[in-house]
Amino acid sequence: MAESNSLPPAESGERRQSIAGVMGPEKFRQYMLETARRHEAAVARKALMALVAADEETPDFVRLVTRDFSDGPWGFAIVRGTAYEDDDVWKDFRRAFTDRLELAFTEQLEAAGVKEAKDNFTIQWIEDPSLQDADVETVARKYGGTHGSLPHGLAHMFCLSVTRQSLDSVMRPSTKHYAKIPFVQVVGCVGVDAEWDLDFKQFAEVEGQPYPARFKVAVDSLLSKLFSLVGDRGDDSIAVDEISGYVKEDETWTDDTSEVLIKVFP
C-alpha cells in the first residue's frame, strides 16, 4: 500500500482498481480497511514512542514494551505447578498475584505509555494436573512445547512457575514476625532450540550451575526489573542463565540484587 500511495493519483487509482478486480469487491474492502488500520496504528505507535521518550517518569519496562511489543499482548507465561487439589485456593492465589502486579501500573498510571502497556498486559496460565509438584525440567519442557504458539510479547526464553512455596509466600502477607518476600520461580526454557539448549547446558556445567536455569524472583520485581532485563530482545538483554549464577537457591531476586547485575552487565 505504501507503493500505491507514492504513485501519482491517476496511477494509484488504476492500481487500486486492478487489485479490486483480482480480489473482488468484498475482499478488497477488507484489504483497504486493514491497510488503514495498520497505518493508523503505526502513526499512533510513533506518537506514543515520542511521548514515552520525553517523559522521565515512564518506567523502564514500559519503555521496552512501547519499543518492542506495543503492537499486541505482552507479559508472562506462568506454569501452575501446585494446588490442583483445591481450585478455590488457586483462584485466591491468582487474584492476590495479579492484584500485586497491578501496583506496578497503578502507582505510575499518569506517566506516558503506562496505560497503554497496562491495557495489553497478559498472563498466559499453563495448567495441567500432571504438573502437580513437577520438577524444574518438566516445567521447562512443558513451556517449551507451548512457546511456538504464544504471541510475540509472551514468547520469552523463560517462563514463570508457581510452586507450593511461592503460592504460600503470596498468600501469607508479611508481618513483623514473618518477613517472607512474595515470589515466583523463573525457569529457563528448554526444548525450543536444540542448539540453544546444548549451549546453555554446557554453560551450566562449566559454571557449576543447575540446568535448566532457575531462581526465585520477588513478585514486586517482575515488571520493574526482571522484564526490563530479561524481556529485552535487543543487545541489552540478559539470559536467565546468567542471572541464576548470582542468586543462591535460598535467596529471592529483588530490585536490590538486580542493581548488582546491572553493574556486572553494563
Side-chain angles (χ1 to χ4, degrees):
M1 195 61 194
E3 293 180 7
S4 178
N5 288 336
S6 66
L7 296 172
E11 293 182 35
S12 177
E14 290 174 2
R15 180 170 180 178
R16 288 195 178 95
Q17 289 180 359
S18 176
I19 295 173
V22 172
M23 299 179 69
E26 181 56 27
K27 286 187 176 180
F28 180 68
R29 186 181 73 84
Q30 294 297 328
Y31 163 76
M32 293 298 292
L33 288 173
E34 177 61 16
T35 300
R37 185 195 67 78
R38 291 186 181 184
H39 174 71
E40 291 173 1
V43 171
R45 179 173 178 271
K46 186 175 181 179
L48 180 61
M49 289 181 68
L51 290 173
V52 166
D55 192 339
E56 295 181 355
E57 299 300 317
T58 298
D60 288 342
F61 78 89
V62 172
R63 296 182 190 279
L64 173 62
V65 169
T66 305
R67 187 192 73 192
D68 293 347
F69 307 118
S70 62
D71 58 344
W74 68 278
F76 300 110
I78 306 181
V79 177
R80 174 184 179 181
T82 191
Y84 284 97
E85 75 286 354
D86 194 332
D87 279 339
D88 288 337
V89 168
W90 180 248
K91 290 176 183 176
D92 289 343
F93 163 79
R94 283 182 50 161
R95 187 180 305 110
F97 177 80
T98 53
D99 285 349
R100 195 158 189 126
L101 276 184
E102 286 278 323
L103 294 176
F105 298 106
T106 56
E107 291 176 348
Q108 304 178 79
L109 201 56
E110 299 304 315
V114 174
K115 181 182 182 302
E116 289 80 1
K118 180 177 182 294
D119 289 344
N120 285 332
F121 179 69
T122 302
I123 295 176
Q124 178 65 52
W125 297 99
I126 300 174
E127 302 184 15
D128 184 332
S130 67
L131 293 169
Q132 176 75 27
D133 300 323
D135 60 28
V136 174
E137 185 164 354
T138 300
V139 169
R141 292 196 178 281
K142 181 68 173 181
Y143 172 63
T146 64
H147 183 273
S149 63
L150 294 172
H152 171 65
L154 282 83
H156 310 296
M157 295 307 287
F158 70 92
C159 67
L160 303 179
S161 171
V162 181
T163 64
R164 170 54 67 175
Q165 292 74 25
S166 58
L167 182 147
D168 290 343
S169 75
V170 172
M171 297 301 295
R172 183 179 180 184
S174 295
T175 67
K176 65 180 181 179
H177 302 297
Y178 182 81
K180 188 77 172 181
I181 299 172
F183 72 90
V184 290
Q185 190 169 46
V186 181
V187 179
C189 186
V190 171
V192 173
D193 184 301
E195 184 175 347
W196 187 93
D197 288 346
L198 180 60
D199 285 345
F200 280 103
K201 188 170 186 178
Q202 292 174 339
F203 172 84
E205 290 173 352
V206 170
E207 297 295 324
Q209 296 179 17
Y211 178 84
R214 79 293 300 263
F215 60 91
K216 300 172 185 176
V217 59
V219 175
D220 294 343
S221 298
L222 282 172
L223 292 173
S224 62
K225 292 299 179 181
L226 182 76
F227 194 87
S228 299
L229 292 176
V230 187
D232 194 330
R233 303 292 172 86
D235 295 335
D236 296 329
S237 64
I238 297 176
V240 296
D241 306 71
E242 296 172 301
I243 296 176
S244 64
Y246 289 86
V247 186
K248 296 179 181 178
E249 187 175 351
D250 60 347
E251 292 179 340
T252 297
W253 195 71
T254 67
D255 283 11
D256 292 336
T257 47
S258 73
E259 295 301 328
V260 175
L261 276 174
I262 292 172
K263 294 175 183 176
V264 174
F265 302 102

